[in-house]
PDB file of all heavy atoms in Angstrom:
ATOM      1  N   ASN A   1      -9.419   5.425  12.495  1.00  0.00           N
ATOM      2  CA  ASN A   1      -8.565   4.793  13.498  1.00  0.00           C
ATOM      3  C   ASN A   1      -7.120   5.243  13.347  1.00  0.00           C
ATOM      4  O   ASN A   1      -6.436   5.482  14.341  1.00  0.00           O
ATOM      5  CB  ASN A   1      -8.657   3.274  13.403  1.00  0.00           C
ATOM      6  CG  ASN A   1      -9.968   2.745  13.917  1.00  0.00           C
ATOM      7  OD1 ASN A   1     -10.658   3.386  14.703  1.00  0.00           O
ATOM      8  ND2 ASN A   1     -10.333   1.573  13.463  1.00  0.00           N
ATOM      9  N   PHE A   2      -6.676   5.341  12.089  1.00  0.00           N
ATOM     10  CA  PHE A   2      -5.314   5.770  11.821  1.00  0.00           C
ATOM     11  C   PHE A   2      -5.051   7.144  12.430  1.00  0.00           C
ATOM     12  O   PHE A   2      -4.044   7.353  13.109  1.00  0.00           O
ATOM     13  CB  PHE A   2      -5.051   5.783  10.316  1.00  0.00           C
ATOM     14  CG  PHE A   2      -3.716   6.376   9.943  1.00  0.00           C
ATOM     15  CD1 PHE A   2      -2.561   5.634  10.098  1.00  0.00           C
ATOM     16  CD2 PHE A   2      -3.626   7.669   9.456  1.00  0.00           C
ATOM     17  CE1 PHE A   2      -1.330   6.178   9.775  1.00  0.00           C
ATOM     18  CE2 PHE A   2      -2.401   8.219   9.130  1.00  0.00           C
ATOM     19  CZ  PHE A   2      -1.249   7.465   9.286  1.00  0.00           C
ATOM     20  N   VAL A   3      -5.965   8.060  12.183  1.00  0.00           N
ATOM     21  CA  VAL A   3      -5.804   9.417  12.700  1.00  0.00           C
ATOM     22  C   VAL A   3      -5.744   9.401  14.222  1.00  0.00           C
ATOM     23  O   VAL A   3      -4.918  10.093  14.827  1.00  0.00           O
ATOM     24  CB  VAL A   3      -6.945  10.337  12.197  1.00  0.00           C
ATOM     25  CG1 VAL A   3      -6.933  11.670  12.920  1.00  0.00           C
ATOM     26  CG2 VAL A   3      -6.830  10.544  10.697  1.00  0.00           C
ATOM     27  N   GLU A   4      -6.586   8.604  14.849  1.00  0.00           N
ATOM     28  CA  GLU A   4      -6.606   8.547  16.313  1.00  0.00           C
ATOM     29  C   GLU A   4      -5.259   8.065  16.861  1.00  0.00           C
ATOM     30  O   GLU A   4      -4.717   8.641  17.800  1.00  0.00           O
ATOM     31  CB  GLU A   4      -7.733   7.626  16.779  1.00  0.00           C
ATOM     32  CG  GLU A   4      -7.839   7.479  18.267  1.00  0.00           C
ATOM     33  CD  GLU A   4      -8.276   8.739  18.998  1.00  0.00           C
ATOM     34  OE1 GLU A   4      -8.728   9.695  18.363  1.00  0.00           O
ATOM     35  OE2 GLU A   4      -8.135   8.766  20.234  1.00  0.00           O
ATOM     36  N   TYR A   5      -4.692   7.023  16.269  1.00  0.00           N
ATOM     37  CA  TYR A   5      -3.419   6.484  16.761  1.00  0.00           C
ATOM     38  C   TYR A   5      -2.252   7.437  16.489  1.00  0.00           C
ATOM     39  O   TYR A   5      -1.386   7.630  17.350  1.00  0.00           O
ATOM     40  CB  TYR A   5      -3.136   5.113  16.150  1.00  0.00           C
ATOM     41  CG  TYR A   5      -4.046   4.042  16.696  1.00  0.00           C
ATOM     42  CD1 TYR A   5      -4.889   3.337  15.857  1.00  0.00           C
ATOM     43  CD2 TYR A   5      -4.064   3.745  18.052  1.00  0.00           C
ATOM     44  CE1 TYR A   5      -5.737   2.366  16.357  1.00  0.00           C
ATOM     45  CE2 TYR A   5      -4.909   2.781  18.560  1.00  0.00           C
ATOM     46  CZ  TYR A   5      -5.746   2.091  17.709  1.00  0.00           C
ATOM     47  OH  TYR A   5      -6.578   1.132  18.206  1.00  0.00           O
ATOM     48  N   VAL A   6      -2.233   8.031  15.317  1.00  0.00           N
ATOM     49  CA  VAL A   6      -1.154   8.973  14.999  1.00  0.00           C
ATOM     50  C   VAL A   6      -1.282  10.221  15.868  1.00  0.00           C
ATOM     51  O   VAL A   6      -0.285  10.743  16.364  1.00  0.00           O
ATOM     52  CB  VAL A   6      -1.146   9.330  13.495  1.00  0.00           C
ATOM     53  CG1 VAL A   6      -0.159  10.450  13.201  1.00  0.00           C
ATOM     54  CG2 VAL A   6      -0.821   8.093  12.664  1.00  0.00           C
ATOM     55  N   ARG A   7      -2.517  10.681  16.088  1.00  0.00           N
ATOM     56  CA  ARG A   7      -2.743  11.838  16.949  1.00  0.00           C
ATOM     57  C   ARG A   7      -2.209  11.571  18.352  1.00  0.00           C
ATOM     58  O   ARG A   7      -1.539  12.401  18.958  1.00  0.00           O
ATOM     59  CB  ARG A   7      -4.242  12.179  17.006  1.00  0.00           C
ATOM     60  CG  ARG A   7      -4.532  13.476  17.750  1.00  0.00           C
ATOM     61  CD  ARG A   7      -5.970  13.525  18.225  1.00  0.00           C
ATOM     62  NE  ARG A   7      -6.252  12.505  19.209  1.00  0.00           N
ATOM     63  CZ  ARG A   7      -5.903  12.557  20.506  1.00  0.00           C
ATOM     64  NH1 ARG A   7      -5.233  13.564  20.972  1.00  0.00           N
ATOM     65  NH2 ARG A   7      -6.214  11.576  21.324  1.00  0.00           N
ATOM     66  N   TRP A   8      -2.475  10.373  18.868  1.00  0.00           N
ATOM     67  CA  TRP A   8      -1.994   9.997  20.200  1.00  0.00           C
ATOM     68  C   TRP A   8      -0.466  10.023  20.216  1.00  0.00           C
ATOM     69  O   TRP A   8       0.145  10.557  21.144  1.00  0.00           O
ATOM     70  CB  TRP A   8      -2.517   8.605  20.574  1.00  0.00           C
ATOM     71  CG  TRP A   8      -2.014   8.139  21.901  1.00  0.00           C
ATOM     72  CD1 TRP A   8      -2.539   8.416  23.126  1.00  0.00           C
ATOM     73  CD2 TRP A   8      -0.852   7.335  22.144  1.00  0.00           C
ATOM     74  NE1 TRP A   8      -1.777   7.828  24.115  1.00  0.00           N
ATOM     75  CE2 TRP A   8      -0.742   7.166  23.532  1.00  0.00           C
ATOM     76  CE3 TRP A   8       0.096   6.747  21.326  1.00  0.00           C
ATOM     77  CZ2 TRP A   8       0.283   6.423  24.114  1.00  0.00           C
ATOM     78  CZ3 TRP A   8       1.121   6.012  21.907  1.00  0.00           C
ATOM     79  CH2 TRP A   8       1.197   5.869  23.288  1.00  0.00           C
ATOM     80  N   PHE A   9       0.164   9.464  19.192  1.00  0.00           N
ATOM     81  CA  PHE A   9       1.621   9.439  19.096  1.00  0.00           C
ATOM     82  C   PHE A   9       2.193  10.854  19.079  1.00  0.00           C
ATOM     83  O   PHE A   9       3.129  11.161  19.823  1.00  0.00           O
ATOM     84  CB  PHE A   9       2.035   8.673  17.823  1.00  0.00           C
ATOM     85  CG  PHE A   9       3.512   8.672  17.566  1.00  0.00           C
ATOM     86  CD1 PHE A   9       4.335   7.741  18.172  1.00  0.00           C
ATOM     87  CD2 PHE A   9       4.081   9.611  16.723  1.00  0.00           C
ATOM     88  CE1 PHE A   9       5.700   7.738  17.943  1.00  0.00           C
ATOM     89  CE2 PHE A   9       5.445   9.626  16.484  1.00  0.00           C
ATOM     90  CZ  PHE A   9       6.255   8.676  17.096  1.00  0.00           C
ATOM     91  N   LEU A  10       1.628  11.698  18.231  1.00  0.00           N
ATOM     92  CA  LEU A  10       2.108  13.073  18.128  1.00  0.00           C
ATOM     93  C   LEU A  10       1.940  13.820  19.443  1.00  0.00           C
ATOM     94  O   LEU A  10       2.827  14.566  19.868  1.00  0.00           O
ATOM     95  CB  LEU A  10       1.376  13.805  17.001  1.00  0.00           C
ATOM     96  CG  LEU A  10       1.636  13.286  15.582  1.00  0.00           C
ATOM     97  CD1 LEU A  10       0.696  13.971  14.598  1.00  0.00           C
ATOM     98  CD2 LEU A  10       3.086  13.466  15.172  1.00  0.00           C
ATOM     99  N   ASP A  11       0.819  13.618  20.104  1.00  0.00           N
ATOM    100  CA  ASP A  11       0.552  14.259  21.386  1.00  0.00           C
ATOM    101  C   ASP A  11       1.545  13.780  22.442  1.00  0.00           C
ATOM    102  O   ASP A  11       2.095  14.569  23.196  1.00  0.00           O
ATOM    103  CB  ASP A  11      -0.889  13.968  21.812  1.00  0.00           C
ATOM    104  CG  ASP A  11      -1.280  14.728  23.058  1.00  0.00           C
ATOM    105  OD1 ASP A  11      -1.053  15.951  23.106  1.00  0.00           O
ATOM    106  OD2 ASP A  11      -1.827  14.090  23.982  1.00  0.00           O
ATOM    107  N   PHE A  12       1.787  12.479  22.460  1.00  0.00           N
ATOM    108  CA  PHE A  12       2.676  11.885  23.458  1.00  0.00           C
ATOM    109  C   PHE A  12       4.089  12.464  23.347  1.00  0.00           C
ATOM    110  O   PHE A  12       4.745  12.702  24.355  1.00  0.00           O
ATOM    111  CB  PHE A  12       2.705  10.366  23.295  1.00  0.00           C
ATOM    112  CG  PHE A  12       3.503   9.654  24.345  1.00  0.00           C
ATOM    113  CD1 PHE A  12       2.956   9.406  25.596  1.00  0.00           C
ATOM    114  CD2 PHE A  12       4.798   9.240  24.090  1.00  0.00           C
ATOM    115  CE1 PHE A  12       3.688   8.756  26.574  1.00  0.00           C
ATOM    116  CE2 PHE A  12       5.543   8.598  25.063  1.00  0.00           C
ATOM    117  CZ  PHE A  12       4.984   8.352  26.303  1.00  0.00           C
ATOM    118  N   PHE A  13       4.541  12.691  22.109  1.00  0.00           N
ATOM    119  CA  PHE A  13       5.892  13.195  21.900  1.00  0.00           C
ATOM    120  C   PHE A  13       5.964  14.708  21.753  1.00  0.00           C
ATOM    121  O   PHE A  13       6.988  15.255  21.353  1.00  0.00           O
ATOM    122  CB  PHE A  13       6.541  12.490  20.705  1.00  0.00           C
ATOM    123  CG  PHE A  13       6.928  11.072  21.023  1.00  0.00           C
ATOM    124  CD1 PHE A  13       6.141  10.021  20.589  1.00  0.00           C
ATOM    125  CD2 PHE A  13       8.039  10.797  21.797  1.00  0.00           C
ATOM    126  CE1 PHE A  13       6.473   8.710  20.901  1.00  0.00           C
ATOM    127  CE2 PHE A  13       8.384   9.488  22.112  1.00  0.00           C
ATOM    128  CZ  PHE A  13       7.606   8.450  21.663  1.00  0.00           C
ATOM    129  N   GLY A  14       4.865  15.398  22.071  1.00  0.00           N
ATOM    130  CA  GLY A  14       4.870  16.856  22.093  1.00  0.00           C
ATOM    131  C   GLY A  14       4.980  17.508  20.729  1.00  0.00           C
ATOM    132  O   GLY A  14       5.439  18.642  20.624  1.00  0.00           O
ATOM    133  N   MET A  15       4.535  16.815  19.706  1.00  0.00           N
ATOM    134  CA  MET A  15       4.602  17.352  18.343  1.00  0.00           C
ATOM    135  C   MET A  15       3.302  18.102  18.055  1.00  0.00           C
ATOM    136  O   MET A  15       2.474  17.684  17.250  1.00  0.00           O
ATOM    137  CB  MET A  15       4.862  16.216  17.359  1.00  0.00           C
ATOM    138  CG  MET A  15       6.153  15.455  17.688  1.00  0.00           C
ATOM    139  SD  MET A  15       6.390  14.000  16.691  1.00  0.00           S
ATOM    140  CE  MET A  15       7.105  14.744  15.236  1.00  0.00           C
ATOM    141  N   ASN A  16       3.143  19.223  18.740  1.00  0.00           N
ATOM    142  CA  ASN A  16       1.881  19.964  18.738  1.00  0.00           C
ATOM    143  C   ASN A  16       1.481  20.500  17.369  1.00  0.00           C
ATOM    144  O   ASN A  16       0.308  20.458  17.003  1.00  0.00           O
ATOM    145  CB  ASN A  16       1.934  21.100  19.760  1.00  0.00           C
ATOM    146  CG  ASN A  16       2.142  20.586  21.162  1.00  0.00           C
ATOM    147  OD1 ASN A  16       1.709  19.485  21.489  1.00  0.00           O
ATOM    148  ND2 ASN A  16       2.813  21.354  21.979  1.00  0.00           N
ATOM    149  N   ARG A  17       2.423  21.015  16.620  1.00  0.00           N
ATOM    150  CA  ARG A  17       2.097  21.575  15.305  1.00  0.00           C
ATOM    151  C   ARG A  17       1.580  20.478  14.373  1.00  0.00           C
ATOM    152  O   ARG A  17       0.557  20.643  13.710  1.00  0.00           O
ATOM    153  CB  ARG A  17       3.323  22.260  14.699  1.00  0.00           C
ATOM    154  CG  ARG A  17       3.052  22.946  13.366  1.00  0.00           C
ATOM    155  CD  ARG A  17       4.264  23.740  12.868  1.00  0.00           C
ATOM    156  NE  ARG A  17       5.524  23.049  13.045  1.00  0.00           N
ATOM    157  CZ  ARG A  17       6.107  22.277  12.104  1.00  0.00           C
ATOM    158  NH1 ARG A  17       5.545  22.135  10.940  1.00  0.00           N
ATOM    159  NH2 ARG A  17       7.249  21.686  12.346  1.00  0.00           N
ATOM    160  N   ASP A  18       2.274  19.347  14.348  1.00  0.00           N
ATOM    161  CA  ASP A  18       1.833  18.221  13.514  1.00  0.00           C
ATOM    162  C   ASP A  18       0.488  17.683  13.990  1.00  0.00           C
ATOM    163  O   ASP A  18      -0.367  17.320  13.188  1.00  0.00           O
ATOM    164  CB  ASP A  18       2.877  17.102  13.526  1.00  0.00           C
ATOM    165  CG  ASP A  18       4.188  17.537  12.899  1.00  0.00           C
ATOM    166  OD1 ASP A  18       4.153  18.260  11.897  1.00  0.00           O
ATOM    167  OD2 ASP A  18       5.241  17.144  13.433  1.00  0.00           O
ATOM    168  N   HIS A  19       0.318  17.643  15.305  1.00  0.00           N
ATOM    169  CA  HIS A  19      -0.945  17.180  15.897  1.00  0.00           C
ATOM    170  C   HIS A  19      -2.093  18.064  15.436  1.00  0.00           C
ATOM    171  O   HIS A  19      -3.148  17.581  15.036  1.00  0.00           O
ATOM    172  CB  HIS A  19      -0.811  17.199  17.421  1.00  0.00           C
ATOM    173  CG  HIS A  19      -2.031  16.764  18.142  1.00  0.00           C
ATOM    174  ND1 HIS A  19      -3.063  17.623  18.434  1.00  0.00           N
ATOM    175  CD2 HIS A  19      -2.383  15.554  18.626  1.00  0.00           C
ATOM    176  CE1 HIS A  19      -3.997  16.974  19.081  1.00  0.00           C
ATOM    177  NE2 HIS A  19      -3.614  15.708  19.198  1.00  0.00           N
ATOM    178  N   GLN A  20      -1.889  19.380  15.477  1.00  0.00           N
ATOM    179  CA  GLN A  20      -2.936  20.313  15.083  1.00  0.00           C
ATOM    180  C   GLN A  20      -3.244  20.199  13.596  1.00  0.00           C
ATOM    181  O   GLN A  20      -4.403  20.228  13.191  1.00  0.00           O
ATOM    182  CB  GLN A  20      -2.542  21.755  15.429  1.00  0.00           C
ATOM    183  CG  GLN A  20      -3.650  22.755  15.175  1.00  0.00           C
ATOM    184  CD  GLN A  20      -4.903  22.458  15.975  1.00  0.00           C
ATOM    185  OE1 GLN A  20      -4.842  22.257  17.179  1.00  0.00           O
ATOM    186  NE2 GLN A  20      -6.042  22.393  15.313  1.00  0.00           N
ATOM    187  N   GLN A  21      -2.211  20.046  12.774  1.00  0.00           N
ATOM    188  CA  GLN A  21      -2.427  19.900  11.332  1.00  0.00           C
ATOM    189  C   GLN A  21      -3.237  18.640  11.027  1.00  0.00           C
ATOM    190  O   GLN A  21      -4.146  18.668  10.187  1.00  0.00           O
ATOM    191  CB  GLN A  21      -1.093  19.866  10.585  1.00  0.00           C
ATOM    192  CG  GLN A  21      -0.394  21.198  10.540  1.00  0.00           C
ATOM    193  CD  GLN A  21       0.995  21.115   9.920  1.00  0.00           C
ATOM    194  OE1 GLN A  21       1.577  20.047   9.805  1.00  0.00           O
ATOM    195  NE2 GLN A  21       1.520  22.271   9.529  1.00  0.00           N
ATOM    196  N   LEU A  22      -2.920  17.549  11.690  1.00  0.00           N
ATOM    197  CA  LEU A  22      -3.654  16.306  11.482  1.00  0.00           C
ATOM    198  C   LEU A  22      -5.100  16.447  11.947  1.00  0.00           C
ATOM    199  O   LEU A  22      -6.031  16.000  11.272  1.00  0.00           O
ATOM    200  CB  LEU A  22      -2.966  15.149  12.215  1.00  0.00           C
ATOM    201  CG  LEU A  22      -3.608  13.782  12.064  1.00  0.00           C
ATOM    202  CD1 LEU A  22      -3.612  13.353  10.604  1.00  0.00           C
ATOM    203  CD2 LEU A  22      -2.876  12.765  12.916  1.00  0.00           C
ATOM    204  N   THR A  23      -5.289  17.078  13.086  1.00  0.00           N
ATOM    205  CA  THR A  23      -6.647  17.299  13.598  1.00  0.00           C
ATOM    206  C   THR A  23      -7.454  18.151  12.629  1.00  0.00           C
ATOM    207  O   THR A  23      -8.615  17.844  12.342  1.00  0.00           O
ATOM    208  CB  THR A  23      -6.592  17.960  14.993  1.00  0.00           C
ATOM    209  OG1 THR A  23      -5.901  17.087  15.893  1.00  0.00           O
ATOM    210  CG2 THR A  23      -7.976  18.239  15.530  1.00  0.00           C
ATOM    211  N   ASP A  24      -6.851  19.201  12.107  1.00  0.00           N
ATOM    212  CA  ASP A  24      -7.545  20.073  11.148  1.00  0.00           C
ATOM    213  C   ASP A  24      -7.938  19.311   9.891  1.00  0.00           C
ATOM    214  O   ASP A  24      -9.059  19.462   9.389  1.00  0.00           O
ATOM    215  CB  ASP A  24      -6.664  21.273  10.772  1.00  0.00           C
ATOM    216  CG  ASP A  24      -6.458  22.249  11.919  1.00  0.00           C
ATOM    217  OD1 ASP A  24      -7.216  22.177  12.916  1.00  0.00           O
ATOM    218  OD2 ASP A  24      -5.524  23.071  11.827  1.00  0.00           O
ATOM    219  N   ARG A  25      -7.043  18.486   9.376  1.00  0.00           N
ATOM    220  CA  ARG A  25      -7.356  17.717   8.164  1.00  0.00           C
ATOM    221  C   ARG A  25      -8.454  16.695   8.432  1.00  0.00           C
ATOM    222  O   ARG A  25      -9.332  16.485   7.599  1.00  0.00           O
ATOM    223  CB  ARG A  25      -6.103  17.023   7.632  1.00  0.00           C
ATOM    224  CG  ARG A  25      -5.122  18.045   7.062  1.00  0.00           C
ATOM    225  CD  ARG A  25      -3.977  17.420   6.368  1.00  0.00           C
ATOM    226  NE  ARG A  25      -4.444  16.921   5.074  1.00  0.00           N
ATOM    227  CZ  ARG A  25      -3.715  16.169   4.288  1.00  0.00           C
ATOM    228  NH1 ARG A  25      -2.499  15.825   4.648  1.00  0.00           N
ATOM    229  NH2 ARG A  25      -4.184  15.762   3.132  1.00  0.00           N
ATOM    230  N   ALA A  26      -8.411  16.072   9.599  1.00  0.00           N
ATOM    231  CA  ALA A  26      -9.445  15.084   9.947  1.00  0.00           C
ATOM    232  C   ALA A  26     -10.805  15.762  10.076  1.00  0.00           C
ATOM    233  O   ALA A  26     -11.826  15.206   9.669  1.00  0.00           O
ATOM    234  CB  ALA A  26      -9.074  14.368  11.240  1.00  0.00           C
ATOM    235  N   GLN A  27     -10.832  16.968  10.640  1.00  0.00           N
ATOM    236  CA  GLN A  27     -12.094  17.694  10.789  1.00  0.00           C
ATOM    237  C   GLN A  27     -12.676  18.075   9.439  1.00  0.00           C
ATOM    238  O   GLN A  27     -13.894  18.134   9.281  1.00  0.00           O
ATOM    239  CB  GLN A  27     -11.903  18.935  11.655  1.00  0.00           C
ATOM    240  CG  GLN A  27     -11.735  18.614  13.116  1.00  0.00           C
ATOM    241  CD  GLN A  27     -11.419  19.839  13.950  1.00  0.00           C
ATOM    242  OE1 GLN A  27     -11.160  20.909  13.444  1.00  0.00           O
ATOM    243  NE2 GLN A  27     -11.439  19.656  15.263  1.00  0.00           N
ATOM    244  N   ALA A  28     -11.818  18.307   8.468  1.00  0.00           N
ATOM    245  CA  ALA A  28     -12.291  18.701   7.142  1.00  0.00           C
ATOM    246  C   ALA A  28     -13.031  17.567   6.443  1.00  0.00           C
ATOM    247  O   ALA A  28     -13.841  17.811   5.552  1.00  0.00           O
ATOM    248  CB  ALA A  28     -11.108  19.160   6.285  1.00  0.00           C
TER     249      ALA A  28
END
């Protein structure tokens, strides 16, 4: 749940690099 909410926040504010890093770590 944490990842989902932070991902949404990062996406909303256009923080694409951080969003991708979080997505990659979650996938791992």
Side-chain angles (χ1 to χ4, degrees):
N1 287 338
F2 173 78
V3 170
E4 179 68 12
Y5 289 120
V6 172
R7 187 201 65 78
W8 178 85
F9 176 84
L10 294 172
D11 186 49
F12 185 80
F13 287 102
M15 302 173 83
N16 299 329
R17 184 174 42 94
D18 296 321
H19 179 275
Q20 186 59 50
Q21 288 174 343
L22 181 61
T23 299
D24 291 344
R25 290 188 75 189
Q27 286 175 351

